[in-house]
C-alpha cells in the first residue's frame, strides 16, 4: 500500500515518530517508553467500555519490550495500537489457528496474565506477516456511522447558504463510504430520518446528548460528490475491503454489520474518488468546481494523517485560507484536535479571511452527538 505521505514544502512532518523503526540496534529507550504510554492511553481512553479485549492486549504490549519493538515498525504518523491490533485481527480473520482466536470473536474474556503469553506466542509465530502488514498498511477505518454527525452539519450549511447547489469533497475518504450519506437511514434517538435514496437496511443510530441539531435536509441540492484519497479502497475488491473490516474491533459486532451493509451498497454504486495525496488535489478541485456550486471540504478523522499532529488543523486552515483567494470555501472537520472529546468544526474561508466554530462534540464512530446550538468556542 505504498510509502508514507510525502511532505509538502514547508510542511512539518508529524511529530509522533517511531524511531525504533530505523535501526533496531539503536533502540532509544525513551521512544519505547513513549510507545508504551501510547498503548496504555489507547487502552484506558479509547478502548474503555468499547473493547475490553483490545484494552487488555494493549496493556500487554505496553509491558513487553519485544512487542513494543514490533509495534514500532508502523510508519510515522500512523497510530501503532490500531495498526498492530488490526493486523493481528486481519491474520486471524484469514482463518489462522491459534489459542488467541476465540477471544477475537468478541465473546470470550481474556485475563491479563493469559494475554501476555498468548500475545507473545502469536506475535512470535507470525512476526514477519505482522511486520509486513503494519509497515505497509495504514489506518483507513471508514466509519459510515460518522455520517450521522455530518448530516446535521450539511443541513446547517444548507440553511445558511444561498440556493446554489452544494458540492461535498471528502478528503481522506478511504473507501468513500461517507460520500454515500444520502443512501443511509438515520435513527436519532428513536427519531427516524429517511432521504429519497435511503437504504432501509443500513441504519445509522445516533444518540442526541444535547442541543437540537438541524435534521431537515434537501439531499437533491448536493451534487457531484467526490473523495480524495491517498490509497483508495476499492469497494468492489473483497481483499481490500477485508482490511477495513479487520480495523473494526472484535466486540463491535453492530459496527461490523453496518460497515458490511455500507460496503455492499457501495459495491453496487461505487463513489467517485480521486487517487493521490490531498496536497496535490485540493487546488485542482478548487479550480474546477464551478462558482455556481458551494464547495465544502470534509475532513473526517483525516487531518492528523494528512497535515500531521499536533497543529495539523492550523496548517489545513492556512492552506484553505490561501486557496480561498480564488473562491469561497467551506470546511467541516471532525477529530480530537488535541482534546479528549472529539469535536466537529465548521469553517468558512473567503478571500483569505476565515471564521470557524466548534459546532458539536461527538463520538468517534458517530454514536452520539452534542450539538452546541450557540457555539461558545470560535476556532479550536
Ligand atoms: C482514519 S481514515 C478516515 C476515513 C474516513 N474519512 C472516515 O472518517 O471514515 C484517514 C484516511 O486518510 C487517508 N490519507 C492519509 N494521508 C492522506 C493524504 N496525504 N492525502 C489523502 N488521503 C490521505 C488515509 O489513507 C485514510 O484512508
Amino acid at each position: 500500500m505504498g510509502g508514507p505521505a510525502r511532505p509538502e514544502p514547508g510542511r512539518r512532518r508529524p511529530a509522533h515518530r517511531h524511531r525504533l523503526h530505523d535501526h533496531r540496534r539503536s533502540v532509544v529507550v525513551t521512544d519505547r517508553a513513549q510507545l508504551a504510554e501510547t498503548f496504555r492511553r489507547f487502552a484506558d481512553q479509547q478502548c474503555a467500555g468499547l473493547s475490553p479485549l483490545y484494552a487488555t492486549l494493549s496493556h500487554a504490549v505496553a509491558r513487553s519490550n519485544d512487542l513494543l519493538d514490533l509495534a514500532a515498525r508502523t510508519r510515522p504518523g500512523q497510530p501503532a495500537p490500531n495498526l498492530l491490533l488490526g493486523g493481528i485481527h486481519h491474520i486471524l480473520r484469514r482463518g489462522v489457528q491459534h489459542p488467541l482466536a476465540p477471544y477475537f470473536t468478541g465473546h470470550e474474556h481474556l485475563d491479563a496474565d493469559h494475554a501476555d503469553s498468548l500475545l507473545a506466542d502469536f506475535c512470535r509465530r507470525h512476526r514477519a506477516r505482522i511486520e509486513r502488514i503494519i509497515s505497509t498498511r495504514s489506518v483507513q477505518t471508514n466509519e459510515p456511522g460518522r455520517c450521522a454527525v455530518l448530516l446535521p452539519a450539511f443541513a446547517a450549511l444548507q440553511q445558511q447558504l444561498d440556493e446554489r447547489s452544494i458540492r461535498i469533497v471528502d478528503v481522506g475518504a478511504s473507501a468513500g463510504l461517507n460520500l454515500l450519506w444520502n443512501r443511509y437511514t438515520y435513527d436519532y434517538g428513536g427519531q427516524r430520518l429517511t432521504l429519497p435514496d435511503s437504504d432501509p437496511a443500513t441504519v445509522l443510530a445516533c444518540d442526541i446528548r444535547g442541543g437540537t441539531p438541524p435534521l431537515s435536509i434537501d439531499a437533491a441540492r448536493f451534487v457531484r460528490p467526490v473523495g480524495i484519497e491517498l490509497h483508495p479502497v476499492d469497494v468492489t475488491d473483497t481483499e481490500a475491503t477485508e482490511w477495513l473490516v479487520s480495523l473494526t474491533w472484535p466486540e463491535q459486532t453492530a459496527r461490523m454489520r453496518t460497515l458490511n451493509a455500507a460496503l455492499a451498497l457501495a459495491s453496487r454504486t461505487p463513489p467517485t474518488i480521486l487517487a493521490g495525496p490531498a496536497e496535490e488535489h485540493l487546488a485542482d478541485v478548487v479550480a474546477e468546481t464551478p462558482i455556481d456550486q458551494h464547495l465544502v471540504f470534509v475532513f473526517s478523522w483525516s487531518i492528523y494523517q494528512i497535515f500531521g499532529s499536533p497543529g495539523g488543523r492550523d496548517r489545513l486552515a492556512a492552506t484553505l485560507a490561501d486557496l480561498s483567494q480564488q473562491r469561497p470555501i467551506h470546511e467541516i472537520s471532525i477529530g480530537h484536535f488535541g482534546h479528549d472529546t472529539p469535536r466537529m468544526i465548521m469553517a468558512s474561508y473567503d478571500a483569505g479571511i476565515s471564521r470557524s466554530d466548534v459546532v458539536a462534540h461527538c463520538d468517534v464512530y458517530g454514536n452520539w452527538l452534542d450539538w452546541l446550538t450557540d457555539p461558545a468556542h470560535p476556532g479550536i
Side-chain angles (χ1 to χ4, degrees):
M1 277 209 166
R6 270 177 290 143
E8 316 158 69
R11 196 183 112 202
R12 273 186 278 151
R13 281 187 169 276
H16 180 69
R17 296 172 60 80
H18 308 310
R19 272 192 290 150
L20 285 76
H21 178 146
D22 299 333
H23 303 286
R24 295 291 300 279
R25 270 189 282 162
S26 66
V27 165
V28 181
V29 174
T30 50
D31 281 357
R32 200 185 259 159
Q34 268 172 15
L35 199 48
E37 182 54 26
T38 300
F39 273 88
R40 279 192 291 271
R41 265 206 321 274
F42 178 75
D44 297 340
Q45 294 175 9
Q46 295 192 43
C47 301
L50 290 177
S51 179
L53 175 68
Y54 276 14
T56 301
L57 293 175
S58 296
H59 279 297
V61 175
R63 283 190 291 270
S64 160
N65 284 346
D66 193 43
L67 294 179
L68 287 170
D69 291 354
L70 174 62
R73 301 285 297 167
T74 52
R75 290 180 292 164
Q78 286 295 320
N82 305 65
L83 264 182
L84 179 65
L85 296 168
I88 293 168
H89 194 193
H90 190 60
I91 293 171
L92 287 170
R93 284 179 59 84
R94 309 307 293 252
V96 162
Q97 302 294 311
H98 189 272
L100 198 54
Y103 300 101
F104 274 74
T105 59
H107 304 301
E108 303 258 340
H109 173 75
L110 177 63
D111 62 54
D113 292 345
H114 215 173
D116 285 342
S117 54
L118 279 186
L119 189 61
D121 184 70
F122 184 88
C123 292
R124 193 166 44 247
R125 288 171 192 271
H126 300 285
R127 192 172 189 108
R129 201 165 165 191
I130 297 171
E131 274 194 17
R132 198 165 53 248
I133 292 173
I134 69 176
S135 63
T136 55
R137 291 186 184 254
S138 47
V139 174
Q140 292 201 272
T141 308
N142 199 182
E143 178 51 63
R146 292 172 183 153
C147 290
V149 169
L150 291 171
L151 184 143
F154 297 162
L157 257 185
Q158 192 177 40
Q159 282 173 17
Q160 290 160 20
L161 299 176
D162 64 35
E163 69 289 348
R164 281 177 289 164
S165 53
I166 300 168
R167 185 182 199 199
I168 299 290
V169 181
D170 186 13
V171 189
S174 183
L177 299 181
N178 293 353
L179 288 164
L180 303 182
W181 63 274
N182 61 326
R183 307 290 313 280
Y184 307 133
T185 297
Y186 296 85
D187 181 332
Y188 288 101
Q191 186 190 341
R192 206 148 260 240
L193 187 146
T194 55
L195 303 167
D197 292 325
S198 287
D199 170 28
T202 313
V203 182
L204 308 179
C206 179
D207 189 25
I208 308 283
R209 291 204 177 161
T212 310
L215 298 177
S216 169
I217 191 157
D218 175 9
R221 271 190 62 193
F222 291 79
V223 299
R224 293 178 65 223
V226 69
I228 297 174
E229 169 55 51
L230 191 57
H231 303 299
V233 177
D234 179 353
V235 287
T236 63
D237 174 353
T238 46
E239 167 62 27
T241 57
E242 173 56 29
W243 173 239
L244 294 190
V245 179
S246 300
L247 286 169
T248 58
W249 300 356
E251 294 94 334
Q252 297 178 317
T253 45
R255 213 184 128 207
M256 229 180 263
R257 268 197 306 278
T258 311
L259 175 61
N260 279 318
L263 284 168
L265 258 182
S267 69
R268 294 196 291 275
T269 47
T272 306
I273 298 189
L274 305 173
E279 303 87 305
E280 285 178 12
H281 282 298
L282 288 176
D284 289 346
V285 169
V286 167
E288 64 96 7
T289 301
I291 202 68
D292 64 357
Q293 293 172 1
H294 296 288
L295 175 59
V296 183
F297 286 120
V298 173
F299 292 82
S300 167
W301 299 95
S302 57
I303 291 177
Y304 76 98
Q305 291 198 22
I306 300 171
F307 290 91
S309 175
R313 165 114 208 315
D314 291 341
R315 289 188 280 280
L316 165 66
T319 303
L320 295 184
D322 197 28
L323 289 169
S324 77
Q325 299 290 355
Q326 295 170 51
R327 56 156 300 146
I329 294 170
H330 302 276
E331 171 207 348
I332 300 172
S333 290
I334 319 178
H336 277 288
F337 309 122
H339 299 269
D340 288 343
T341 307
R343 55 208 52 220
M344 180 158 61
I345 295 165
M346 290 179 70
S348 296
Y349 304 80
D350 193 0
I353 308 292
S354 66
R355 188 210 141 86
S356 69
D357 289 304
V358 178
V359 294
H361 292 162
C362 58
D363 174 54
V364 173
Y365 304 116
N367 288 324
W368 62 262
L369 173 67
D370 179 2
W371 189 260
L372 308 171
T373 42
D374 179 20
H377 322 281
I380 49 169

